Amino acid sequence: VISELTGTIIKGNRLALARLLTEVENDTPSGRAGLNDLFTQTGKAHLVGITGAMGVGKSSLVNHLAQVFRKPSVEYPASRVAIVAVDPSSPFARGAFLGDRVRMRDLSGDPGIFIRSMAARGALGGLAHATAGLTQVLDAAGYDVILIETVGAGQAEVEIARLAHTTIVVEAPGMGDDIQASKAGILEVADILVINKADMNGIENAERVLHAMLELAQPVQHKGYHAAKAQIGEGADTPLWRTPVIRAIASKGDGAVDIVDAIRKHGEYLKDTGEWISRDHERLQAELDDLIQTTLVDRWKNDLPSGRYVQALGDLFLRRISPHQAVEQLFL
Amino acid sequence: VISELTGTIIKGNRLALARLLTEVENDTPSGRAGLNDLFTQTGKAHLVGITGAMGVGKSSLVNHLAQVFRKPSVEYPASRVAIVAVDPSSPFARGAFLGDRVRMRDLSGDPGIFIRSMAARGALGGLAHATAGLTQVLDAAGYDVILIETVGAGQAEVEIARLAHTTIVVEAPGMGDDIQASKAGILEVADILVINKADMNGIENAERVLHAMLELAQPVQHKGYHAAKAQIGEGADTPLWRTPVIRAIASKGDGAVDIVDAIRKHGEYLKDTGEWISRDHERLQAELDDLIQTTLVDRWKNDLPSGRYVQALGDLFLRRISPHQAVEQLFL
């Protein structure tokens, strides 16, 4: 049963969509009801995570990607594109708002593009959870491609990257040597690697370092096709994704066509190998397990006579009881 | 009440200690009982986490630190030292065992040193949990300093680093440019930064990059004393810890005295500012909350009629119900 509100959203009412996104972001009862309502319509969009340190030019790149996705090509019709900009490091959406102004200038007026910013609120888990909700609403609203842009390269970004079907890591040469070329954790999850600012000095060096880092982070994919096959114990028929390294100059839009091409190829690869479905299931199960855990802890805390947790904690701090004994005491 | 086993451990029986550590690592009932028994004796040891990528020379450095801690100085008596080597990336203790052989040669025969290796088993949380248990046993057994060495620089290492009072991050110049100088996440938690292999080319460059990265990762501490004070809103009396960057050549033992000195200074800083106690309380509360969460989820899964979770998951995968509706269904 689709309610009136969600019906108008599916029909393309942008104001209704913006309102529901706010409700979902704040995790209100009507936000949850809207999500429940729309959920049957999800599962079609290609979720693309774009991450990288501040200053590598992600926002500008994302704008150009959106514009390329909007143009029909010989092989592909125009896609409807939603952009979700997430800033986990900022308690308010400074960077994102700044980026939005540039975006409005470049992308506004196109009904096939929808832009949404989100800043850090509460816990890490909370942010990933809210982002999951937003992408579900946008997916149901009929956006074919959802570009999820995050600032920084910490744990929060890796968590958000795990939401995506395709994860793009953006790097840039220079900026205090290879400081940007860090993020051991996030390179492991990169499906596409972009070196932006390819007109800057040090591009060859950056490219060399990134190839070496990719080899460290993704040894199987980067040892060459046959060695990799042997290592994962698969036959020669199963295709294997080898993370491409693509040069770009986002300020001019250079490289955007190649990146969009790689995103589409990766989407096809995921569908051909069944990974599209397995990533989808992993994502949904992780979300369910997370909600179960939160619900259990919340209910338990509500039921516990007030003061008992603090009492146990105090005994623990004084080392009168061990952590296990504290749990036994609380679950008596 | 201290049982016979734990009594002999506190009296210095190394075989009994090794046995209890194995029980704790495997989280057996007698391991838990031993921990409960010993827990009142914990809270005295200085926990020092040492992290950094593979190949930077951590094991060799840790050996030299242990030897320095063993020698009485004008200011300090000899400390009893335990070493816990954790390899979260390896399903078996390859690297750790290799390091152990070198260790045995350098450190064996000294009753004031105890060495223990641990490899990845099960979940990340499990590893951090097991490490917490091991350090508690060693703490109760009377080791004054516990050096917790981890390989790699991912999420697991940050989690394990959070167990420590003092976190040391080890870097090395070279090795494919500044690949080692990554770990944005872990630099934020560094209390002491060591540049090992200081006799290699590129040491000045590595030092410059690391200072710049520290400034990015810890802006308050690195903006200079007065600016930092103003920013955290504190008076001029409260001391402020400024992460030192120390050069070392672990193969020769160079720098080990300076590092031990910095570790002891950091310990005093923590005690003077009350941070020793607040870090201790944070650690214990995190451990308690973790156990509560695990207990709740385990009990809930046990009580749930078999098949209901799988049923809900299947409905979710088919998008018949949303994650929130799945939770509602499971908690009916």
Side-chain angles (χ1 to χ4, degrees), chain B residues 178-233:
Chain B
D178 294 314
I179 289 181
Q180 307 302 310
S182 45
K183 297 145 231 168
I186 202 133
L187 274 185
E188 285 164 32
V189 299
D191 299 306
I192 296 166
L193 200 59
V194 172
I195 312 186
N196 195 21
K197 306 188 182 181
D199 49 351
M200 271 177 68
N201 276 338
I203 173 74
E204 284 80 14
N205 189 38
E207 212 168 46
R208 195 166 46 78
V209 170
L210 280 171
H211 274 289
M213 290 181 79
L214 263 185
E215 216 161 305
L216 278 172
Q218 307 178 335
V220 172
Q221 288 88 325
H222 284 264
K223 268 184 188 155
Y225 190 77
H226 291 292
K229 282 288 163 196
Q231 196 164 332
I232 60 173

Side-chain angles (χ1 to χ4, degrees), chain A residues 32 36 39-40 42-43 155 177 205 209 280-281 285 289 291 293 309 317 319 321-325 327, chain B residues 32 36 39-40 42-43 155 177 205 209 280-281 285 289 291 293 309 317 319 321-325 327:
Chain A
R32 289 192 180 193
N36 288 346
F39 194 76
T40 54
T42 63
Q155 201 178 318
D177 292 358
N205 189 39
V209 170
D280 186 58
H281 287 184
Q285 184 164 10
D289 287 346
L291 277 178
Q293 206 170 278
Y309 176 80
F317 287 172
R319 289 184 159 75
I321 53 172
S322 78
H324 278 290
Q325 287 167 326
V327 170
Chain B
R32 289 192 182 193
N36 289 346
F39 194 76
T40 53
T42 62
Q155 201 178 318
D177 291 359
N205 189 38
V209 170
D280 186 59
H281 287 184
Q285 184 164 10
D289 287 347
L291 278 178
Q293 207 170 277
Y309 176 80
F317 287 172
R319 288 186 160 75
I321 53 172
S322 77
H324 278 290
Q325 286 167 327
V327 170

Side-chain angles (χ1 to χ4, degrees), chain B:
Chain B
V1 191
I2 304 277
S3 75
E4 206 182 324
L5 171 72
T6 53
T8 58
I9 287 171
I10 290 168
K11 278 186 204 123
N13 185 323
R14 293 168 74 96
L15 188 60
L17 173 58
R19 277 185 190 151
L20 179 57
L21 290 172
T22 303
E23 299 292 332
V24 168
E25 199 179 337
N26 296 329
D27 201 18
T28 64
S30 66
R32 289 192 182 193
L35 261 182
N36 289 346
D37 221 26
L38 286 167
F39 194 76
T40 53
Q41 308 298 311
T42 62
K44 288 163 287 180
H46 189 165
L47 311 182
V48 181
I50 296 116
T51 189
M54 190 124 31
V56 294
K58 281 185 306 298
S59 300
S60 171
L61 187 73
V62 165
N63 283 5
H64 283 287
L65 296 182
Q67 285 170 330
V68 174
F69 271 118
R70 290 297 298 139
K71 282 183 201 124
S73 70
V74 184
E75 284 177 273
Y76 298 93
S79 306
R80 296 184 68 209
V81 185
I83 300 173
V84 180
V86 190
D87 188 348
S89 64
S90 157
F92 25 80
R94 256 179 320 175
F97 285 154
L98 190 70
D100 278 0
R101 255 177 272 144
V102 181
R103 267 178 191 141
M104 290 310 159
R105 203 189 55 206
D106 292 351
L107 306 175
S108 72
D110 180 345
I113 291 186
F114 192 92
I115 303 163
R116 182 78 185 190
S117 292
M118 196 168 57
R121 255 158 240 220
L124 285 188
L127 192 62
H129 181 68
T131 310
L134 294 195
T135 59
Q136 284 160 5
V137 173
L138 292 163
D139 182 354
Y143 290 94
D144 306 303
V145 178
I146 301 174
L147 303 171
I148 307 160
E149 176 194 332
T150 67
V151 170
Q155 201 178 318
E157 289 74 17
V158 174
E159 250 181 77
I160 292 165
R162 294 235 163 98
L163 285 174
H165 293 106
T166 302
T167 300
I168 303 180
V169 176
V170 185
E171 300 280 351
M175 299 187 75
D177 291 359
D178 294 314
I179 289 181
Q180 307 302 310
S182 45
K183 297 145 231 168
I186 202 133
L187 274 185
E188 285 164 32
V189 299
D191 299 306
I192 296 166
L193 200 59
V194 172
I195 312 186
N196 195 21
K197 306 188 182 181
D199 49 351
M200 271 177 68
N201 276 338
I203 173 74
E204 284 80 14
N205 189 38
E207 212 168 46
R208 195 166 46 78
V209 170
L210 280 171
H211 274 289
M213 290 181 79
L214 263 185
E215 216 161 305
L216 278 172
Q218 307 178 335
V220 172
Q221 288 88 325
H222 284 264
K223 268 184 188 155
Y225 190 77
H226 291 292
K229 282 288 163 196
Q231 196 164 332
I232 60 173
E234 279 190 14
D237 324 328
T238 327
L240 192 79
W241 184 257
R242 200 177 186 286
T243 303
V245 179
I246 303 174
R247 288 191 188 190
I249 308 173
S251 56
K252 298 180 189 170
D254 289 8
V257 170
D258 294 341
I259 298 165
V260 167
D261 193 52
I263 293 170
R264 283 173 164 154
K265 281 218 178 79
H266 188 248
E268 282 159 16
Y269 160 82
L270 292 175
K271 281 174 180 161
D272 290 348
T273 55
E275 253 200 80
W276 182 278
I277 290 167
S278 60
R279 286 193 188 195
D280 186 59
H281 287 184
E282 264 173 46
R283 181 167 49 239
L284 289 173
Q285 184 164 10
E287 198 184 340
L288 177 61
D289 287 347
D290 223 56
L291 278 178
I292 288 172
Q293 207 170 277
T294 313
T295 308
L296 284 168
V297 173
D298 287 353
R299 286 185 173 213
W300 178 81
K301 278 195 179 153
N302 263 333
D303 291 349
L304 201 69
S306 104
R308 276 196 63 196
Y309 176 80
V310 174
Q311 172 73 45
L313 201 60
D315 286 347
L316 177 62
F317 287 172
L318 294 169
R319 288 186 160 75
R320 285 186 190 138
I321 53 172
S322 77
H324 278 290
Q325 286 167 327
V327 170
E328 278 163 32
Q329 209 176 79
L330 287 168
F331 283 87
L332 263 186

